[in-house]
Amino acid sequence: MEKIQMVDLVGQYQEIKKELKTEFDSIFESASFINGPAVKEFEQSLAKYLQVKHVIACANGTDALQIALMAMDYKPGTEIITTNFTFAATVEVIHLLGLKPILVDIDPETFNIDIDKLESSITKKTRAMMPVHLFGQVCPMGELMLIALRHGLDIIEDNAQAIGAKYQFINGDMKYAGTIGNIGTTSFFPAKNLGAYGDGGALFTNDDNLVHKIRAIANHGMSQRYYHDIIGVNSRLDTLQAAVLKTKLKYLDQYIEKRRFNAKKYHALLKGIPHLVLPKMPKLEDAHVWHQYTLRVTNGKRDELAHYLTKHNIPYGIYYPIPLHRQKAYIDNRSTDHHFPITCQFSQQVLSLPMHTEVTDEQTNYIAQTIKTFFD
């Protein structure tokens, strides 16, 4: 059996290296390293895939979140509601812009923001909600849109982990995660379902007015070269990374199907093990793209299991071991463990298994058997 990887980018590369070589040769021969043709081609291809009017590529997913907030012109002190169970970038950009994150606990079945607790967090200072489609599963966007409508709020979707996931509205309409709110953002960090070979990110919007502002902000505030109409940042997607993403996008649905297959196999192999809670399978298969397959160990032996897996050459991830409200950089005395019982509990229980397109049946069988042996 080949060595198990948490993410096997080398194996994935072997399948597309001929296509990438052709793309890279063209870029090197033209020296079009910044804003080369591949950037626009990728933006157009991704917009077509997501069925959204505009895609604006940028340097990374964190920049995408910051640019989205900058484009909305929120005043310092404005409150942005988001989840307490996510990577720090989500709240990092809120703080950087002088805004105030209002953290909400999570739904125990989906790991996403708890809709029932969200609305009670809205105040007169609230201007936006920033849902995170965590681990590849889309948030309940229909309910979020209704809340936004009732309170006059914006929605900025953090879609760094769920590109390709879909949400089905009550009327049967389906939209891709990241294309439902005012602005959606994503990351192309190499380990993502659609990952570059370096950093990269993008924003999505159907708003014809916002797109021009977003593009300007990402380019030093320039709509016209050397004319700086607004404060901006320098956030461009390299042409080489755009070429990688343009190539991989053609296979994204194939990648997603393999992840769904692996998730179902894990589910079948691990079902019924005491003290092990498996991630809930969504009613709509399209709602989850399985960026992570995250278990919960409920007998207090998560770290022991992690050590056992390492001993047996099985990598794992713990996303996330420390809730945001406990992080030194984001401590707020008004937020205590009492406000986030599910987040606090889950941070001590979660463990993610290898989940990528190159995981083999032999490897999933070995991983599952090793876990069963630990609990026997």
Side-chain angles (χ1 to χ4, degrees), residues 52-185:
V52 67
K53 291 179 73 173
H54 307 290
V55 169
I56 307 95
C58 66
N60 55 70
T62 306
D63 278 5
L65 287 167
Q66 180 172 331
I67 292 166
L69 290 170
M70 291 173 70
M72 302 306 290
D73 286 329
Y74 298 128
K75 296 179 180 179
T78 294
E79 294 177 353
I80 311 294
I81 294 177
T82 192
T83 173
N84 192 13
F85 197 64
T86 182
F87 183 60
T90 310
V91 296
E92 180 180 46
V93 296
I94 298 173
H95 278 284
L96 283 171
L97 295 174
L99 310 175
K100 182 181 178 182
I102 302 298
L103 302 177
V104 174
D105 207 358
I106 55 172
D107 184 317
E109 291 192 346
T110 66
F111 300 101
N112 284 327
I113 195 166
D114 189 335
I115 296 296
D116 293 334
K117 296 177 181 177
L118 185 153
E119 197 159 11
S120 63
S121 300
I122 297 172
T123 73
K124 293 180 180 180
K125 295 182 179 180
T126 308
R127 291 293 177 270
M129 298 178 288
M130 188 180 285
V132 179
H133 305 304
L134 199 71
F135 298 154
Q137 184 168 9
V138 67
C139 289
M141 292 304 297
E143 296 169 75
L144 278 170
M145 293 294 286
L146 289 175
I147 293 172
L149 185 64
R150 280 198 295 271
H151 297 275
L153 304 179
D154 302 318
I155 296 180
I156 297 170
E157 298 175 70
D158 183 339
N159 194 38
Q161 299 187 17
I163 194 162
K166 296 178 183 178
Y167 179 80
Q168 185 173 43
F169 290 88
I170 294 177
N171 65 1
D173 288 349
M174 295 181 69
K175 288 188 177 182
Y176 280 96
T179 71
I180 302 168
N182 301 76
I183 304 175
T185 70

Side-chain angles (χ1 to χ4, degrees), residues 246-303:
K246 183 181 68 166
T247 301
K248 283 191 174 185
L249 180 60
K250 294 184 290 185
Y251 302 101
L252 180 56
D253 285 340
Q254 180 180 318
Y255 295 161
I256 290 171
E257 285 307 310
K258 184 62 187 296
R259 287 173 176 272
R260 286 176 178 152
F261 173 83
N262 288 333
K264 290 175 184 176
K265 180 149 193 189
Y266 274 138
H267 228 69
L269 292 170
L270 296 171
K271 187 176 181 180
I273 297 177
H275 310 299
L276 200 64
V277 179
L278 307 184
K280 185 176 180 180
M281 288 285 179
K283 293 180 181 178
L284 177 70
E285 185 178 65
D286 286 347
H288 209 319
V289 293
W290 297 101
H291 177 59
Q292 302 292 348
Y293 186 88
T294 302
L295 314 166
R296 290 198 293 117
V297 182
T298 60
N299 63 350
K301 295 185 177 181
R302 189 271 309 276
D303 293 345

Side-chain angles (χ1 to χ4, degrees), residues 288-355:
H288 209 319
V289 293
W290 297 101
H291 177 59
Q292 302 292 348
Y293 186 88
T294 302
L295 314 166
R296 290 198 293 117
V297 182
T298 60
N299 63 350
K301 295 185 177 181
R302 189 271 309 276
D303 293 345
E304 290 181 43
L305 173 59
H307 178 73
Y308 189 78
L309 292 177
T310 299
K311 183 179 177 181
H312 289 81
N313 300 311
I314 299 172
Y316 64 90
I318 295 178
Y319 315 111
Y320 299 92
I322 305 175
L324 290 174
H325 78 280
R326 290 183 186 167
Q327 298 283 356
K328 290 182 180 179
Y330 308 119
I331 285 176
D332 184 335
N333 292 331
R334 289 168 293 185
S335 295
T336 66
D337 290 357
H338 173 74
H339 298 101
F340 311 106
I342 305 302
T343 296
C344 292
Q345 178 187 4
F346 281 23
S347 67
Q348 300 300 309
Q349 297 178 341
V350 291
L351 185 144
S352 298
L353 300 180
M355 170 57 75

